[in-house]
Amino acid sequence: MQQHRIVVLGAGYTGAIAAGRLARRLHRDDVRITLVNAEADFVERVRMHQLATGQDLARRPLRDMFAGTGVEVRIARVTAVDAERKEVTLAGERGESEEGLPYDTLVYALGSGWDDHGVPGVAAHAHQIASRSGALVLRERLAELAPGQPVVVVGAGLTGVEAATEIAEARPDLDVALAARGALGDWLSAKGRAHLRKVADRLGITVHEHAAVTAVDADRVSTAGGTSLPAAVTVWTTGFAVHPIAKATTLEVSDTGQIVVDRTMRAVSHPDVYAVGDAALAEGPGGKPLRMSCASGVPSAWQAADAIAARLAGGEVPTVPIRYFNQCVSLGRKEGLIQFVTADDTAKDAALTGRAAALYKEIVCKGAAWGVAHPAVGLLGARRRVAPQPARAAV
């Protein structure tokens, strides 16, 4: 029997976890699993605000992580996906062109990057921390700033709050401001909002509420209310946009470019394609789309891997509802906020704050990284054999 070819695109949290779980679920003789990623190292995206402020993160080479698992790691950039021919086109590690990589099952986990929302000047003048390269560029720029220079963080969601507090704590000599479209922490409980404001005040962060930014210049940002905020550095954290490749395929995608999937993370238009993490438009509790986050991305990778393994082995396909439990927010290295939420991500009254919350968040981050770095650990039971598959059509 020919080996079933599984190709996983992207080795962030979701792609790496899916590849490792598939390697542990399926018999090595029956499958060939290839994990494709543009960077040679696994990137802890949830720590990019730390990297930007001068903290060093441990290197985690993907080839070392997956050594001995049966997963082949390819360092290459995905340039196209042909969902009809079932082939992925790659540009090599050194930029050279490569032949297409065929697949029988595709796991699309290319994730997302920053989204400038078309606001004038953002692409030219703002910095982002949605990627390692962006965080390193911001790191260099912050190191150049003299005391008293202004830094404006645009966007007061989880990423913006973490970035502003991390910068303010690491560089108390800078004038850090946070521009929020709405009220600060308006998605949090009353306790969570109060703690967030307390920490921002203690760190000397100036908060501009109801200040939608309409333009970014080299030395300032402008808001819809006509206010001009001086900014030697602008950090843009207003949300994420998915990788554009899916939208250029015949896969059914949403207006956001996310691949539309069912409860098993299988593409509704192509049964041999699965999408996980930020790349997938999946329905969560209450019929609400799952938000782009590790909190839903990691369970989506588990779901996809288990569904693929079950279908290939001819077994019953598990469907475990993906739900939320909490939102973990670091507020510098000494403070944190754990907002407990309902299954559909609505804030409850309960929240954990202070050093205990900071420790809680650190444990979560370390646990997520450990799970990725040990892809074949923790799953019990024998690897399943793949049932006979239909012969491949000639291309």
Side-chain angles (χ1 to χ4, degrees), residues 116-324:
D116 64 12
H117 297 287
V119 174
V122 173
H125 302 299
H127 292 265
Q128 53 92 3
I129 54 172
S131 66
R132 183 175 182 274
S133 59
L136 289 173
V137 171
L138 175 58
R139 176 182 178 134
E140 291 182 5
R141 183 69 185 103
L142 289 173
E144 296 170 351
L145 295 183
Q149 289 194 276
V151 175
V152 176
V153 178
V154 181
L158 299 178
T159 304
V161 164
E162 290 192 328
T165 52
E166 201 76 41
I167 294 170
E169 181 184 87
R171 291 291 307 273
D173 58 321
L174 297 177
D175 182 8
V176 179
L178 180 63
R181 175 177 287 273
L184 179 64
D186 54 10
W187 77 93
L188 298 168
S189 65
K191 180 179 179 180
R193 291 193 301 273
H195 185 70
L196 176 56
R197 192 172 296 277
K198 173 184 174 183
V199 173
D201 289 345
R202 182 170 54 78
L203 292 174
I205 299 170
T206 302
V207 179
H208 300 275
E209 297 180 284
H210 307 289
V213 171
T214 56
V216 176
D217 292 299
D219 61 351
R220 65 190 58 252
V221 300
S222 302
T223 72
T227 303
S228 180
L229 307 177
V233 169
T234 299
V235 186
W236 192 262
T237 69
T238 62
F240 301 101
V242 298
H243 199 291
I245 284 181
K247 205 165 189 175
T249 70
T250 54
L251 292 162
E252 182 178 337
V253 299
S254 66
D255 292 341
T256 61
Q258 293 171 291
I259 298 171
V260 182
V261 298
D262 64 15
R263 290 181 62 195
T264 68
M265 309 310 295
R266 193 182 205 179
V268 297
S269 60
H270 291 72
D272 45 30
V273 176
Y274 292 73
V276 295
D278 292 356
L281 181 66
E283 185 178 288
K288 295 165 59 175
L290 295 174
R291 64 178 166 89
M292 296 183 185
S293 66
C294 276
S296 53
V298 170
S300 77
W302 297 337
Q303 177 66 75
D306 291 351
I308 292 167
R311 287 185 172 118
L312 290 179
E316 183 178 351
V317 178
T319 53
V320 179
I322 298 175
R323 56 152 298 163
Y324 297 97

Side-chain angles (χ1 to χ4, degrees), residues 36-108:
V36 180
N37 198 60
E39 295 190 52
D41 294 343
F42 168 70
V43 175
E44 285 188 85
R45 185 168 171 179
V46 297
R47 293 191 187 275
M48 290 301 96
H49 54 286
Q50 295 177 238
L51 185 64
T53 54
Q55 299 170 52
D56 293 323
L57 306 181
R59 286 192 64 239
R60 291 186 169 86
L62 290 167
R63 288 195 171 108
D64 292 349
M65 286 167 48
F66 285 93
T69 65
V71 175
E72 176 190 357
V73 175
R74 294 280 299 274
I75 307 304
R77 183 170 55 86
V78 180
T79 59
V81 174
D82 190 329
E84 305 310 316
R85 291 173 56 88
K86 301 175 70 169
E87 186 175 82
V88 178
T89 304
L90 307 175
E93 187 173 359
R94 291 174 296 278
E96 72 276 10
S97 296
E98 294 186 2
E99 295 182 2
L101 177 65
Y103 64 83
D104 297 306
T105 296
L106 179 69
V107 180
Y108 187 103

Side-chain angles (χ1 to χ4, degrees), residues 19-26 69 375-377 379-384:
R21 198 172 180 96
L22 284 164
R24 185 63 185 86
R25 291 290 195 207
L26 295 167
T69 65
V377 174
L379 296 178
L380 303 177
R383 291 180 173 88
R384 304 170 78 172

